[in-house]
Amino acid sequence: MSDTPTTLDDAETAQEAANVPTYPTYYLKALGSLFLLYFGGGLLLNLLGIDLFIFGGRLPLGYPIMAIGAAHFLTGLQIVRADEIGGITVLGTPTIQVTGTLVCTPVFLSELEKFTANTIEFELPADPQHIWREESTPPVGSRARPPIRITFAEDKDSDDPLKRRVTEEVVFFARIRIENFFNFWKRIGSLDEARHQLEDMGVAILSAELPKVTLSKAIEDIATYSEQLQKDMRNSTRSWGVRIVDARVKQFALAKNLNKAIQERAASVANKQTTITNAEATRTATTLQGEGVANAVRAEIDARTGGLSNMATTLGVASEAVLASEVARNIASGPNNTVIVGTQGVTDLLGIVAAAQKAFPPKGSAPEQTGGTT
C-alpha cells in the first residue's frame, strides 16, 4: 500500500491535536482601548468645555462619561476560583486562560467562560440509580440512560455458565481533567457533550473487543480491557484539551438468572464433593473395621494354634488327637447336652471320643502301647 494515506492521516491527526489559536494581547488591547475611550474621551470633552445641562445647572460632559466608564469596568469584575479554569474572549476571539484570579470582563466587549478544574468522573452510561431498564425510551429531559449491553462469545466445550453465549450489561467510567480551556470549549463545548462522546467512544472500543471472548475470560482479563480502554480514550481525546486521568471497566453486574445458574452449579459441585468425601470416609471406616476384625480373628487363630501345638508337643501325641479332643470338649461344654446327628455323625462322634480316650487315658491307667514289644 502507498504511504500517502498514512501521511495524510498523520497530518490530519497532528492538525486536530494542535491547540486552538489564542490572542492574549487582544484582551489587554481591548481593556486599554476601552479605558481610553471612557477616561480619555471624558478628559477631552472637559478640555473642550462641552457641558451637560442638568436641573438648571451645568456639568462638564466628561465627568459623566468617566463615571459610566468606571461603572462599566466595575460591573465586569469577576473572580475565577482556584478550583476553576476559565477563558476570556474579546468579541468572540479567544485571548487568555485564567484560574485563581480576579479578572475584568466589561459587558459587550468580553466574556468569561468557566469550567471546574477538578477531576470529573463520568460513570457510563449513567449512575446505577439512573439506568433505564424499561422497554420504552427514557423520559425526555431525565437523567436516565439505557444500559449498555454486549453479547459475549461462547465456549461450546464447557458447561460453565460464564462460558455460554450471554448478553450482559457493561459499565465503565472515565475520569478527566480540563487542562486547555479553549481546546475543550471550542471542540467539545460542555461537560454533557463530553459525557456523550466518551460514552460513544467507550461503547465502540468495548464492542470491538469483548464479543471475541467469553464472559469468564472477560472477567479474568478485566484489567487488560481497562488498560486498552484508557489507552484508546487518551489517543482519541488528544485534541480535547483534557487529560484522561483514568478509565476502567467496572466489574460486570451479572443478571439474576445467570447468578442463579452459577450458585446452583457451585452447590451441585459442593454436594458432589461432600457425597464423595462421605463415601470415602465410610469406605475407610469399613475397611479399618474389617481389618480389625480380621486381625482379631487371626490373632485368636494364631493363639489357639500355638496352644494346640504346645499341647500336642507336651503330651507327646499326634496333633489330630489333640484337635479331636478339643472338639469333643467344646461339644461337651455346650449349653445343650443333647446332640442330634445322623449315621455318619455317630461314627464321627465315636471317632472323636476314641481319639480323646487315647489322648487322655483315665487317671492311673497306662497309655496304650503302639508297635511291638521290647
Side-chain angles (χ1 to χ4, degrees):
M1 295 179 64
S2 172
D3 292 338
T4 304
T6 302
T7 303
L8 291 176
D9 290 343
D10 291 343
E12 292 176 357
T13 301
Q15 183 177 2
E16 289 179 357
N19 293 332
V20 171
T22 58
Y23 305 91
T25 58
Y26 278 18
Y27 175 65
L28 298 177
K29 289 178 180 179
L31 289 181
S33 299
L34 189 63
F35 181 84
L36 290 176
L37 177 64
Y38 282 120
F39 295 95
L43 182 61
L44 180 61
L45 290 175
N46 287 342
L47 291 175
L48 293 176
I50 300 176
D51 297 331
L52 181 66
F53 292 92
I54 300 178
F55 303 113
R58 299 176 62 182
L59 177 67
L61 182 59
Y63 292 122
I65 298 298
M66 291 181 185
I68 293 173
H72 195 186
F73 274 93
L74 289 174
T75 57
L77 292 177
Q78 297 188 66
I79 294 176
V80 181
R81 300 196 309 267
D83 61 348
E84 295 177 323
I85 183 171
I88 299 175
T89 60
V90 175
L91 300 177
T93 301
T95 59
I96 61 173
Q97 175 176 303
V98 292
T99 184
T101 187
L102 176 68
V103 297
C104 183
T105 55
V107 67
F108 304 125
L109 176 68
S110 59
E111 289 183 288
L112 171 67
E113 297 287 345
K114 296 186 292 184
F115 294 109
T116 178
N118 296 330
T119 299
I120 308 162
E121 178 174 308
F122 297 123
E123 183 165 339
L124 304 164
D127 293 333
Q129 66 271 23
H130 295 138
I131 293 182
W132 183 267
R133 294 185 175 88
E134 305 295 333
E135 294 297 331
S136 59
T137 57
V140 178
S142 72
R143 299 173 61 184
R145 295 283 298 163
I148 301 169
R149 293 189 174 97
I150 293 180
T151 301
F152 292 84
E154 180 180 12
D155 184 356
K156 296 182 179 179
D157 297 330
S158 175
D159 60 351
D160 187 346
L162 292 176
K163 294 184 179 180
R164 297 173 184 169
R165 185 176 297 279
V166 293
T167 300
E168 291 296 325
E169 293 184 9
V170 177
V171 178
F172 61 95
F173 68 87
R175 300 171 65 235
I176 70 171
R177 185 183 302 125
I178 300 173
E179 295 184 342
N180 187 307
F181 174 85
F182 288 109
N183 282 2
F184 185 78
W185 176 70
K186 185 173 182 179
R187 290 169 176 166
I188 303 301
S190 67
L191 294 177
D192 287 340
E193 181 61 22
R195 167 186 282 274
H196 175 71
Q197 292 196 30
L198 285 172
E199 179 181 351
D200 290 344
M201 190 185 306
V203 171
I205 295 169
L206 297 176
S207 296
E209 298 297 329
L210 294 181
K212 299 177 183 179
V213 298
T214 64
L215 179 57
S216 175
K217 183 66 174 176
I219 294 174
E220 180 182 348
D221 295 339
I222 193 170
T224 301
Y225 293 108
S226 293
E227 291 174 2
Q228 185 65 41
L229 177 68
Q230 178 175 284
K231 178 182 177 182
D232 291 348
M233 278 190 167
R234 283 178 175 172
N235 290 335
S236 299
T237 58
R238 285 187 298 171
S239 64
W240 286 23
V242 303
R243 178 174 180 265
I244 301 294
V245 178
D246 194 15
R248 287 287 182 269
V249 182
K250 296 190 72 174
Q251 192 57 261
F252 304 101
L254 305 183
K256 183 177 180 180
N257 58 345
L258 182 56
N259 265 320
K260 182 178 179 181
I262 294 172
Q263 294 297 329
E264 289 177 349
R265 184 174 185 272
S268 176
V269 172
N271 291 336
K272 179 180 178 181
Q273 186 61 43
T274 300
T275 302
I276 292 174
T277 302
N278 291 339
E280 290 180 347
T282 302
R283 183 175 62 185
T284 301
T286 303
T287 300
L288 293 175
Q289 182 179 3
E291 290 178 352
V293 172
N295 289 336
V297 172
R298 185 180 299 110
E300 181 181 358
I301 292 174
D302 290 343
R304 293 183 62 190
T305 301
L308 294 175
S309 177
N310 291 335
M311 186 184 295
T313 303
T314 302
L315 298 176
V317 298
S319 58
E320 292 83 356
V322 174
L323 181 59
S325 64
E326 182 67 13
V327 172
R329 185 182 63 81
N330 288 337
I331 292 174
S333 63
N336 191 348
N337 294 328
T338 303
V339 181
I340 302 174
V341 296
T343 306
Q344 184 62 39
V346 173
T347 305
D348 294 337
L349 287 176
L350 293 175
I352 292 172
V353 172
Q357 290 177 343
K358 292 180 179 180
F360 304 98
K363 188 175 180 180
S365 62
E368 182 181 351
Q369 298 293 328
T370 59
T373 58
T374 56

